[in-house]
Amino acid sequence: MKAVQYRTVGSAPEVVTLPDPEPGPGQILLRMTAAGVCHSDIAIMSLPAEAIQFPLPLTLGHEGAGTVAALGAGVKGVEIGAAMAVYGPWGCGACAKCAVGKENYCLRARELKIFPPGLGAPGAIAEYMIVDDIRHLVPLGDLDPVRNVALTDAGLTPYHAIKRSLPKLVPGSTTVVLGAGGLGHVAIQLLRAMSATRVIALDVSDDKLELARQVGAHEALLSDSTAVEHIRTLTGGRGAELVLDFVGAPATADIAAGAAAIESDITLVGLGAGRVAVGFGALPYETTVTSPYWGTRAELIEVLDIAHAGDVEVHVETFAIDDAPLAYERLHAGKINGRAVILPNG
Ligand code: NAD
Ligand code: ZN
Ligand code: ZN
């Protein structure tokens, strides 16, 4: 089969031919229909060798959707041909966090060397992929896999981040979305679907600001040195009850701190090594700073339910598997509007 791999530290992803995988006991073989391209892959491919926790080569792709092609011994409860989304943050399934569906915070994943597909285990940008357990599949039903595959991360991660702050998103509140890319443009729609908050989106490119407005941002502003002042003016000096930072760079973390209201949440999602200082006087009273990772399986089901209701639509640019390296290049250059989605089987 064809697969897209990160093979050696510092190199670009490559299209390679590998033997078709076969499902072992308890595993499921998916024929991949769609796989999303996330900026986290670029973050991983920028790490020095000593910071990489898993062996290379790595088949990329942690947003996957496909149809069930074969079942390993003992697998029951899923039909061949069924359309499935992959729940990506795999855990042990047995610890206290996994027991409540929070496999994203599995207590034993590191010790047991359990990695998400595309982030250590063979990923979704391939003609076939192995899913290690039936609990990591969520039925897509009649949802279009190409339009919805990104909800497994670009939907689930913002959904989880927003849900924990919902009590603050009352009428009259403001949410700032930093970075209107793959995650950000879905976040704007989720905020509109889930709350009465007013959404101010910031980005560095006019195309992204246009997309932000199109998908429901009330205001879309350039993310520059005047951004904090703009946000303060738009909120009558009060600031934002929630700041979602989908860049997480030092510059955006500074905007987040500057834009936060009293009793606000600052949520750093992006992996850009930004920091927000906490301490008396450093931030408005009772501001909470957090950095969540992905989301729970139950939350993925909820996100897909929002899609079923027609309240979230991912803006998708599709690529053939042979063009996956180009998709990464374009994402790196800031040239993907919405999400790049690879079609591994054409
Ligand atoms: P993306 O490239 O699609 O979107 C990033 C957006 O940020 C782009 O639109 C870009 O123009 C914009 N941007 C860049 N610099 C900016 C600045 N200074 N101010 C405002 N906007 C700016 O990336 P993505 O796939 O949406 O991922 C976003 C971030 O979230 C990445 O860092 C990714 O690694 C991270 N991520 C984290 C989690 C998690 O669980 N914490 C999950 C998925 C992705
Ligand atoms: Zn991701
Ligand atoms: Zn666990």
Side-chain angles (χ1 to χ4, degrees):
M1 67 166 184
K2 279 187 187 175
V4 175
Q5 289 196 323
Y6 178 48
R7 295 184 62 80
T8 53
V9 175
S11 65
E14 290 170 50
V15 183
V16 298
T17 302
L18 302 175
D20 285 357
E22 279 177 28
Q27 298 180 332
I28 299 97
L29 181 73
L30 286 189
R31 181 175 191 270
M32 301 313 291
T33 316
V37 175
C38 178
H39 215 117
S40 297
D41 297 340
I42 291 174
I44 281 188
M45 291 188 277
S46 312
L47 291 173
E50 60 276 14
I52 300 177
Q53 318 252 343
F54 44 79
L56 298 181
L58 168 72
T59 298
L60 292 161
H62 55 270
E63 295 179 343
T67 53
V68 176
L71 302 176
V75 178
K76 288 200 185 77
V78 62
E79 304 278 314
I80 300 287
M84 295 288 179
V86 179
Y87 172 73
W90 295 355
C92 74
C95 73
K97 298 293 180 196
C98 287
V100 292
K102 296 183 182 176
E103 293 202 38
N104 51 324
Y105 298 146
C106 176
L107 300 172
R108 298 194 66 203
R110 189 173 290 249
E111 165 200 348
L112 298 172
K113 297 202 184 325
I114 299 169
F115 297 104
L119 296 167
I125 310 182
E127 287 177 273
Y128 290 93
M129 95 177 254
I130 296 285
V131 175
D132 67 339
D133 193 285
I134 192 173
R135 74 176 187 279
H136 295 144
L137 293 174
V138 176
L140 274 170
D142 57 7
L143 285 178
D144 176 359
V146 178
R147 303 223 143 262
N148 292 286
V149 65
L151 294 179
T152 58
D153 175 21
L156 176 55
T157 301
Y159 181 80
H160 175 79
I162 293 164
K163 196 175 170 185
R164 60 182 299 287
S165 294
L166 274 184
K168 296 186 178 177
L169 304 186
V170 296
S173 68
T174 298
T175 298
V176 166
V177 173
L178 287 159
L183 273 66
H185 91 289
V186 177
I188 293 165
Q189 298 176 63
L190 293 173
L191 286 162
R192 296 301 310 274
M194 294 163 71
S195 81
T197 199
R198 178 182 184 209
V199 180
I200 304 179
L202 282 83
D203 205 295
V204 287
S205 114
D206 287 334
D207 289 350
K208 310 292 174 84
L209 293 178
E210 183 48 41
L211 177 62
R213 284 187 202 100
Q214 241 179 58
V215 298
H218 298 90
E219 309 279 348
L221 313 174
L222 267 181
S223 176
D224 60 14
S225 58
T226 65
V228 168
E229 202 184 308
H230 264 130
I231 295 164
R232 290 274 161 203
T233 305
L234 286 168
T235 55
R238 176 164 138 182
E241 278 68 25
L242 172 61
V243 183
L244 295 168
D245 186 351
F246 296 110
V247 185
T252 52
D254 286 350
I255 294 175
I262 290 172
E263 289 193 303
S264 62
D265 286 343
I266 297 176
T267 304
L268 303 175
V269 179
L271 309 184
R275 298 278 184 273
V276 173
V278 179
F280 208 89
L283 291 171
Y285 297 129
E286 245 186 273
T287 294
T288 302
V289 181
T290 191
S291 40
Y293 172 63
W294 227 328
T296 71
R297 181 163 165 255
E299 287 168 340
L300 176 56
I301 293 170
E302 290 163 22
V303 171
L304 294 179
D305 280 340
I306 295 176
H308 275 293
D311 290 333
V312 61
E313 215 168 283
V314 182
H315 192 283
V316 168
E317 288 185 35
T318 57
F319 293 81
I321 193 165
D322 289 332
D323 293 332
L326 175 68
Y328 278 104
E329 253 176 59
R330 288 179 55 80
L331 181 65
H332 190 54
K335 295 211 169 102
I336 299 288
N337 231 6
R339 201 57 146 184
V341 171
I342 313 298
L343 310 179
N345 281 286

